[in-house]
Amino acid sequence: MNAPRQGLFASLLIVSFALHTFLLVMATTHQSNENRASQGQLMTTQLVTDSLSELEPANTVSLALLANRYATNPSVASIRILNAQGQLLATGGLAKTREGETFVREALQNEKKVGRIEITLIQPSIGEILRTQWLAILVSLLIHGLLWLAYRAIARPSRSEYLARINNEARLKHEIQQLTQALEQEKYQAMLMMTQAQPAVKNAPSSKPQPETNTPEITADNLALNIQFYDPKQLLESVNQSVSVPYFNLCQIFLNKSIERCAQQYHLNSKDFQVVHAFSAEGASITVDASRPQAAECLVMIGALFQLLAEVLYKRYREEKRFVLQTRSAISTAVEAMQLDAVQAAERLAGHLIAKESALHLNNQQLKTISENYQLVAMPNPSNVLTRHAFMLNGMDSERAEQLQHFRTEILKGKKHNTQEASLLSAT
């Protein structure tokens, strides 16, 4: 049982240690510069005072001895004593090739310049500073190591929490398996019904007109919900139909169950919602008459509930290394300025979103009603009439969130009766 996000915490500790070491070096460098400045000024003043009597007339022997005495200071790189004309009288220092900071002071006697003193103090390198601060750096390393061990001990989940998480993951896996089995059984049930209907079709008179296809009618008063797959890597183009078609069917089951649950919540009939496009690589679209009471609120809840179900499916299939995609959704009315009906506008609006995002393009009254339970924010970077008047869902109140979580749990557990019905049908 490892602590959560150990890698992230370790990265933060590494950054913290590096920043602490950097600040330690910077502070030591700053303190060294201040000490060197005060030391350089003090040494030049003292050397001028000591050598003033030997500069006029110049006593090079005494000046050399004086320079060597000052050069015994380990921080001195070199010393130069010059006369008033700039001629070198004496030098000293054991590290004349070292870089450093040079301090210069004129030697004045009776307001007359008799010479110049130049003292160069060694400027320590980064390596030398690190060597002098090795103890502080080692202590910092030990502290960060102890923080790492303490995090692993404190943040590690208890045995009961670990078992609860394992049980929850096992429950979700079992629920997904039930949904997959129910999908296969529904496919079998549909094939069985088609097989039973074939004799009746053969016995029907040939002059009987064929039934018309029931195509949903899209009017200007419709509201449309479009759900698309977020596929920036174009994975759908490389997936075999034997993998994608069952996945689309499972998504359609999620959508149908979402419609049923949310329609009951808002006292609507699930038949009021027409599936314009069932799930395919382009996603799915449904419409509802805008004149229906609370139609917009119900459509928003359907989109939010489907997003929750799709996220559960995404996490489970990713763990099992199976093909799965995240989704995005948009709800819209018709946009006359762009000559788009509701379905086309919802499809266009969903194309501006990324994974797990939802957007709305509704009239003011509908937006006002939605904003009572959901948090809305304007679309970033609008580029046309559609996006300029659209809003994104940025959250919901606690009551609506609990309700959606309850519906999600019911749908994930609600396939058992379908399994029993399918088994009875196959037995007959």
Side-chain angles (χ1 to χ4, degrees):
M1 295 182 291
N2 293 326
R5 299 184 179 180
Q6 286 189 155
L8 178 60
F9 188 71
S11 301
L12 291 176
L13 287 178
I14 292 173
V15 172
S16 174
F17 174 71
L19 183 61
H20 184 265
T21 303
F22 173 76
L23 293 176
L24 182 64
V25 171
M26 292 296 295
T28 304
T29 303
H30 178 71
Q31 185 65 33
S32 176
N33 291 338
E34 290 186 347
N35 293 338
R36 186 168 56 254
S38 59
Q39 183 183 15
Q41 293 174 2
L42 180 61
M43 289 185 66
T44 52
T45 302
Q46 290 178 346
L47 185 54
V48 166
T49 302
D50 294 343
S51 62
L52 195 59
S53 60
E54 307 294 338
L55 288 172
E56 188 69 26
N59 187 346
T60 56
V61 175
S62 298
L63 291 173
L65 293 174
L66 191 62
N68 288 332
R69 179 161 61 86
Y70 274 83
T72 56
N73 191 319
S75 60
V76 175
S78 63
I79 296 177
R80 299 178 68 206
I81 301 176
L82 300 92
N83 60 12
Q85 290 75 32
Q87 296 176 345
L88 185 63
L89 299 178
T91 62
L94 302 177
K96 298 179 180 180
T97 59
R98 286 290 302 271
E99 295 182 356
E101 185 176 358
T102 301
F103 299 87
V104 180
R105 183 174 291 273
E106 304 291 341
L108 301 177
Q109 189 175 26
N110 298 327
E111 298 182 358
K112 176 184 176 183
K113 179 181 177 182
V114 294
R116 187 172 76 248
I117 306 298
E118 296 179 358
I119 298 179
T120 301
L121 299 183
I122 296 174
Q123 185 174 2
S125 63
I126 299 297
E128 291 173 333
I129 294 176
L130 291 175
R131 282 197 299 270
T132 59
Q133 298 295 329
W134 68 269
L135 183 58
I137 295 174
L138 180 60
V139 171
S140 175
L141 180 62
L142 292 176
I143 291 174
H144 283 84
L146 291 175
L147 287 175
W148 164 248
L149 295 177
Y151 175 79
R152 292 194 61 183
I154 296 172
R156 181 180 299 167
S158 63
R159 183 172 181 82
S160 58
E161 293 174 341
Y162 178 74
L163 292 176
R165 187 178 67 182
I166 294 297
N167 292 335
N168 185 49
E169 292 179 353
R171 179 179 59 80
L172 290 176
K173 184 176 181 179
H174 179 65
E175 291 168 357
I176 295 297
Q177 289 175 349
Q178 283 186 338
L179 287 171
T180 306
Q181 292 173 1
L183 173 63
E184 298 296 331
Q185 289 162 357
E186 287 183 1
K187 289 172 61 178
Y188 172 76
Q189 186 177 1
M191 292 177 59
L192 185 61
M193 293 176 63
M194 291 177 60
T195 304
Q196 293 174 351
Q198 283 180 357
V201 174
K202 291 180 180 178
N203 296 331
S206 58
S207 60
K208 185 177 181 179
Q210 297 293 331
E212 296 182 359
T213 305
N214 185 19
T215 303
E217 183 181 357
I218 302 175
T219 66
D221 296 331
N222 277 351
L223 294 174
L225 166 65
N226 177 258
I227 300 172
Q228 295 181 10
F229 296 109
Y230 183 66
D231 188 20
K233 297 182 180 180
Q234 306 296 322
L235 297 179
L236 276 172
E237 298 179 358
S238 60
V239 175
N240 194 293
Q241 286 191 352
S242 61
V243 176
S244 61
V245 172
Y247 174 62
F248 295 152
N249 293 338
L250 184 56
C251 290
Q252 188 63 42
I253 290 177
F254 278 151
L255 180 59
N256 294 340
K257 293 300 180 182
S258 299
I259 295 172
E260 292 178 7
R261 289 290 178 183
C262 297
Q264 292 176 4
Q265 174 67 22
Y266 286 96
H267 307 291
L268 296 173
N269 194 329
S270 60
K271 294 181 180 179
D272 296 336
F273 298 87
Q274 297 178 332
V275 179
V276 181
H277 304 300
F279 263 102
S280 63
E282 287 74 29
S285 296
I286 63 173
T287 60
V288 65
D289 190 348
S291 62
R292 297 283 182 182
Q294 298 180 311
E297 298 95 306
C298 185
L299 211 57
V300 172
M301 179 173 277
I302 291 172
L305 179 55
F306 179 84
Q307 292 276 52
L308 287 177
L309 293 168
E311 188 63 19
V312 173
L313 184 65
Y314 179 79
K315 291 179 180 179
R316 177 53 52 196
Y317 274 25
R318 283 294 299 270
E319 290 178 0
E320 297 177 356
K321 308 299 182 182
R322 298 173 64 179
F323 170 75
V324 68
L325 292 172
Q326 291 182 300
T327 56
R328 53 191 177 179
S329 65
I331 299 172
S332 180
T333 58
V335 183
E336 297 180 0
M338 299 179 66
Q339 298 182 350
L340 297 175
D341 59 36
V343 174
Q344 294 171 337
E347 291 176 354
R348 184 81 64 88
L349 183 58
H352 292 274
L353 305 176
I354 61 174
K356 299 192 291 184
E357 288 187 344
S358 299
L360 307 173
H361 178 273
L362 303 172
N363 60 43
N364 293 335
Q365 183 59 39
Q366 291 167 337
L367 288 173
K368 182 179 179 181
T369 305
I370 298 299
S371 63
E372 294 177 359
N373 302 106
Y374 298 88
Q375 183 181 359
L376 304 179
V377 294
M379 287 279 292
N381 305 319
S383 57
N384 50 42
V385 175
L386 176 64
T387 54
R388 194 157 46 244
H389 296 89
F391 291 85
M392 293 178 60
L393 287 179
N394 195 39
M396 62 188 73
D397 57 29
S398 58
E399 180 182 354
R400 196 65 76 234
E402 292 176 0
Q403 204 170 40
L404 287 172
Q405 293 286 351
H406 177 67
F407 286 167
R408 183 193 67 174
T409 304
E410 284 188 347
I411 291 174
L412 290 175
K413 293 182 178 180
K415 281 294 183 177
K416 295 181 179 179
H417 68 280
N418 290 341
T419 305
Q420 295 173 355
E421 292 175 359
S423 62
L424 291 174
L425 181 61
S426 61
T428 58

